């Protein structure tokens, strides 16, 4: 086909978040026209505050950039190899965050928006797609995300025959850096680890002794919280639990979670080990805003200010944004989607992002990336070959399309949102040994296995990219 004379029909992408933006970019890179539909600003959501595409509404972190010891770092590496727009813009707008890749959220979203607006094969339509897309849209990616509009969510539910599943993500507060008392707090990354753009002193740390910690836990549990009639049976995703929900699970839970005191030394009192530590991570390039790591919450606004100012160093904290809740909707993907992310009930519709049951910024963008490639290849008549399950993106895709669909112990079905992790990778027959020939054990063995899985993924991804190159 002479594409200059007979250009392929466009692919339609619904949703201009991380997944939709990445999908549109990948489709255009393949030489296929794409129409990107974004309902903002005509229809707002509970969580967005700008009109930018790929706006980050929760954390500003893309998590670990360690490709040898962390599965999300492997996913970063694979996305860069596929010329991901999201990773390119994240790298260009990174802020110090220890071993993590964190970004200036406004600069990041502005750069994604500018790149998509400048691409001649991408048409951006600021409109809501209410209900199912028109029948003549024969190649569609639904990347409407956790904040899918009610009309579209209802139509998808009716088409799949599945009752809508919803859970709630809680957003962490952001603090003005100048309001933090650095006579009590200090700068340090856990174990002094320096990540991309970082120095090893990239987090502000606030220490709590036992009495302060206990009082803080009491206040968290007792504080007034947002109440919704439908929340009682709604499963929270464990990776984004509200901090007060964690506290209710046990008084020591936070000390072993986001407030763990390990790998940090208080220079103001180095001989005393804190009972717990609250970390704040830089949220913008100027370093004027810091977000409270792991402090997603459904506390009412007034209670948030009162309770969080109990933390040493935050007594006079000024909040640029308080925490809140937003709705998430996701499909029972292993049952309703095929291996190419197409809806079994209507295969012109392909899904991407958090609505498929992945969790996290990077994972959402990665699923958008692979959905975009698949949609473009279909449009060009080339068919699709999924990435190997030994790769991070392949393992994530396999979880989404081949995860559990049966109930466990007569309870709800077991398919739940998931971050990428090495547990999703096919295991290896592997007996790691040290240079002197001794068998490794404990943490050394675990690290060696992760490295081996990463190296296998790198080789298999390179081979797959070569075999599927346009």
């Amino acid at each position: 086909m002479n594409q200059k004379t007979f250009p392929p029909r466009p692919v339609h992408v619904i949703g201009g978040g991380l997944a939709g933006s990445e999908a549109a970019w990948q489709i255009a890179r393949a030489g296929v026209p794409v129409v990107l539909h974004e309902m903002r600003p005509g229809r707002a959501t509970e969580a967005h505050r700008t009109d930018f595409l790929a706006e980050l509404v929760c954390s500003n972190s893309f998590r670990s950039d360690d490709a040898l010891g962390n599965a999300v770092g492997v996913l970063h590496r694979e996305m860069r190899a596929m010329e991901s727009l999201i990773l390119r813009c994240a790298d260009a707008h990174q802020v110090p965050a220890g071993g993590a890749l964190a970004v200036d959220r406004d600069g990041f979203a502005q750069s994604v928006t500018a790149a998509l607006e400048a691409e001649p094969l991408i048409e951006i339509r600021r409109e809501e797609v209410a209900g199912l897309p028109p029948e003549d849209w024969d190649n569609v990616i639904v990347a409407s995300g956790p904040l899918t509009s009610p009309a579209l969510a209802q139509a998808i539910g009716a088409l799949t025959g599945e009752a809508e599943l919803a859970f709630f993500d809680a957003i962490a507060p952001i603090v003005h850096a100048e309001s933090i008392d650095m006579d009590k707090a200090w700068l340090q990354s856990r174990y002094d680890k320096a990540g991309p753009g970082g120095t090893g002193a990239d987090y502000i740390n606030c220490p709590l002794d036992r009495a302060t910690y206990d009082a803080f836990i009491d206040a968290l549990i007792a504080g007034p919280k947002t109440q919704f009639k439908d929340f009682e049976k709604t499963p929270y995703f464990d990776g984004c639990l509200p901090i007060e929900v964690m506290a209710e699970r046990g008084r020591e839970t936070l000390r072993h979670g986001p407030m763990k005191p390990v790998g940090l030394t208080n220079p103001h009192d180095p001989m005393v080990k804190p009972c717990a530590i609250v970390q704040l991570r830089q949220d913008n390039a100027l370093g004027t805003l810091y977000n409270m790591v792991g402090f997603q919450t459904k506390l009412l606004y007034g209670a948030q200010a009162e309770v969080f100012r109990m933390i040493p160093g935050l007594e006079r904290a000024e909040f640029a944004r308080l925490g809140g809740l937003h709705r998430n909707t996701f499909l029972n993907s292993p049952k309703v989607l095929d291996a190419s992310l197409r809806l079994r009930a209507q295969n012109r519709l392909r899904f991407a992002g958090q609505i498929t049951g992945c969790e996290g910024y990077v994972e959402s963008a990665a699923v958008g990336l692979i959905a975009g490639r698949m949609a473009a290849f279909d449009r060009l008549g080339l068919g699709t070959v999924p990435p190997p399950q030994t790769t991070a993106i392949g393992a994530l895709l396999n979880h989404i399309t081949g995860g559990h669909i049966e109930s466990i112990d007569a309870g709800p079905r077991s398919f739940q949102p998931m971050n990428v992790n090495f547990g999703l990778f096919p295991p290896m027959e592997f007996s790691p040994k040290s240079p002197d020939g001794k068998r490794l054990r404990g943490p050394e063995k675990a690290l060696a296995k992760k490295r081996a899985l990463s190296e296998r993924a790198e080789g298999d991804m390179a081979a797959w990219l070569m075999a599927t190159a346009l």
Side-chain angles (χ1 to χ4, degrees):
M1 177 185 291
N2 185 334
Q3 293 186 13
K4 291 183 179 180
T5 306
F6 303 104
R9 295 180 62 194
V11 175
H12 291 264
V13 178
I14 301 173
L18 292 168
S21 296
E22 185 65 66
W25 181 255
Q26 294 293 325
I27 294 165
R29 282 191 63 248
V32 175
V34 56
V35 180
L36 177 59
H37 304 263
E38 169 53 49
M39 68 181 185
R40 292 177 295 121
R43 184 183 179 94
T45 75
E46 302 98 321
H48 291 91
R49 62 181 182 82
T50 77
D51 298 338
F52 295 132
L53 302 171
E55 179 185 341
L56 306 181
V57 299
C58 191
S59 167
N60 70 323
S61 176
F62 285 70
R63 310 199 318 281
S64 175
D65 204 43
D66 176 9
L68 292 179
N70 192 292
V72 75
V74 178
L75 194 54
H76 287 179
R77 182 180 65 199
E78 293 175 2
M79 293 175 70
R80 290 183 179 114
M82 288 184 278
E83 299 183 23
S84 161
L85 174 65
I86 296 301
L87 262 291
R88 188 187 82 183
C89 293
D91 288 336
H93 293 275
Q94 66 182 19
V95 297
L101 173 59
V103 303
D104 177 322
R105 66 178 72 228
D106 286 341
F108 165 78
Q110 288 171 7
S111 66
V112 173
T113 303
L116 293 172
E117 289 177 340
E119 170 53 55
L121 285 175
I122 297 177
E123 175 189 351
I124 300 172
R125 295 182 187 172
R126 296 285 185 165
E127 61 184 15
E128 179 184 1
V129 178
L132 291 179
E135 290 292 336
D136 61 344
W137 295 8
D138 65 335
N139 191 334
V140 182
I141 295 176
V142 181
S144 49
L147 302 176
T148 298
S149 68
L152 180 56
Q154 184 177 3
I156 293 168
L159 186 61
T160 62
E162 290 292 314
E164 179 179 327
L165 282 181
F167 64 102
F168 288 79
D169 269 350
I171 301 173
I174 293 178
V175 179
H176 288 281
E178 63 183 7
S179 70
I180 301 172
D181 184 355
M182 296 305 293
D183 288 334
K184 296 180 179 179
W186 74 96
L187 283 165
Q188 184 185 9
S189 299
R190 203 176 299 279
Y191 301 109
D192 300 313
K193 186 174 182 179
T199 64
D202 304 322
Y203 291 77
I204 293 177
N205 301 276
C206 300
L208 290 79
D209 59 24
R210 170 54 72 173
T212 306
Y213 177 78
D214 285 339
F216 178 72
I217 295 298
D218 290 338
L220 270 182
I221 294 173
K225 302 166 183 71
T226 303
Q227 298 296 330
F228 294 85
K229 292 181 180 179
D230 296 333
F231 271 28
E232 298 301 324
K233 297 181 180 179
T234 299
Y236 288 107
F237 170 56
D238 278 346
C240 203
L241 282 174
I243 192 165
E244 62 277 1
V245 173
M246 286 188 274
E248 290 167 356
R249 292 185 172 185
R251 297 188 65 84
E252 299 298 296
T253 300
L254 293 177
R255 293 188 62 242
H256 297 281
M259 295 177 67
K260 60 179 178 286
V262 300
L264 298 162
T265 300
N266 183 357
H268 305 304
D269 199 355
M271 301 306 293
V272 175
K273 183 175 180 62
C275 173
I277 289 175
V278 173
Q279 287 197 307
L280 295 94
R281 178 177 55 227
Q282 186 176 331
D283 199 77
N284 65 343
L286 295 175
T288 56
L289 298 175
Y290 276 73
N291 63 64
M292 299 177 69
V293 177
F295 267 58
Q296 307 82 224
T297 183
K298 61 174 183 173
L299 285 172
L300 296 182
Y301 282 174
Q304 287 183 46
E306 181 178 348
V307 173
F308 295 150
R309 284 175 182 148
M310 296 174 65
I311 298 167
L314 300 186
E315 294 91 343
R316 296 181 178 84
E318 296 296 330
F319 296 92
R321 184 189 70 189
L322 290 165
L325 289 175
H326 59 91
R327 176 176 58 84
N328 283 271
T329 304
F330 67 97
L331 295 168
N332 187 8
S333 294
K335 185 174 181 179
V336 303
L337 301 183
D338 67 14
S340 296
L341 297 169
R342 294 176 302 186
L343 195 66
R344 297 182 191 277
Q346 195 170 119
N347 65 14
R348 71 187 179 101
L349 303 180
R350 181 177 266 111
F351 286 78
Q354 284 191 327
I355 198 169
T356 66
C358 65
E359 179 64 27
Y361 289 154
V362 182
E363 290 86 343
S364 295
V367 177
L369 186 157
I370 202 65
R373 285 176 61 98
M374 289 176 169
F377 276 50
D378 280 354
R379 177 60 85 215
L380 296 172
L382 301 176
T384 60
V385 179
Q389 295 180 22
T390 52
T391 64
I393 200 165
L396 185 63
L397 183 63
N398 182 61
H399 164 72
I400 291 168
T401 61
H404 302 295
I405 60 174
E406 301 298 330
S407 63
I408 297 177
D409 298 330
R413 70 193 190 201
S414 58
F415 179 70
Q416 292 291 330
M418 178 71 73
N419 292 119
V420 69
N421 61 82
F422 281 121
L424 299 180
F425 289 53
M428 298 179 67
E429 292 296 330
F430 185 63
S431 298
K433 295 182 180 180
S434 64
D436 60 5
K438 294 182 179 180
R439 181 172 295 180
L440 297 178
R441 300 184 184 278
E444 290 184 334
K445 179 181 179 181
L447 182 60
K449 292 188 74 170
K450 290 177 180 178
R451 186 181 295 268
L453 289 169
S454 171
E455 291 173 350
R456 181 183 68 178
E458 185 173 23
D460 289 353
M461 173 55 69
W464 178 76
L465 285 174
M466 184 176 296
T468 59
L470 285 172

